Amino acid sequence: MLDVWKIFRSTPFTTAVISFLTAQFIKFLIKRDVKMLKSYGGMPSGHVATVSGLAWSLARSTGFDSPYTSIAAILLVI
């Protein structure tokens, strides 16, 4: 049986989500505007925070020479 909730036990997934939420919260603290919680661009960027958190977590868990880390690093550069 497919257990969909297993993704929430994944360290890279959790790190990426926490990175995104942290970036959005910092953006809210800087601008003091609730609308900033819904904006993905600007500084700090929610997209960049998500992919950098994912890349770092994958590098730490699978190794810096892992193909998964390479894919995440390429996505981070793009």
Side-chain angles (χ1 to χ4, degrees):
M1 179 173 211
L2 181 63
D3 188 11
V4 180
W5 298 105
K6 282 185 180 180
I7 194 164
F8 294 107
R9 292 190 296 250
S10 168
T11 302
F13 178 80
T14 305
T15 304
V17 170
I18 289 172
S19 299
F20 174 77
L21 294 175
T22 302
Q24 294 304 98
F25 183 69
I26 290 171
K27 198 181 307 184
F28 167 72
L29 288 178
I30 292 171
K31 301 286 185 174
R32 299 279 185 202
D33 188 7
V34 178
K35 293 179 185 176
M36 296 310 290
L37 292 174
K38 293 189 233 175
S39 75
Y40 299 116
M43 280 301 286
S45 172
H47 295 98
V48 175
T50 303
V51 179
S52 62
L54 176 67
W56 179 252
S57 181
L58 281 171
R60 296 275 298 169
S61 63
T62 64
F64 286 88
D65 58 346
S66 165
Y68 302 118
T69 303
S70 300
I71 293 169
I74 293 298
L75 289 174
L76 180 59
V77 170
I78 292 172

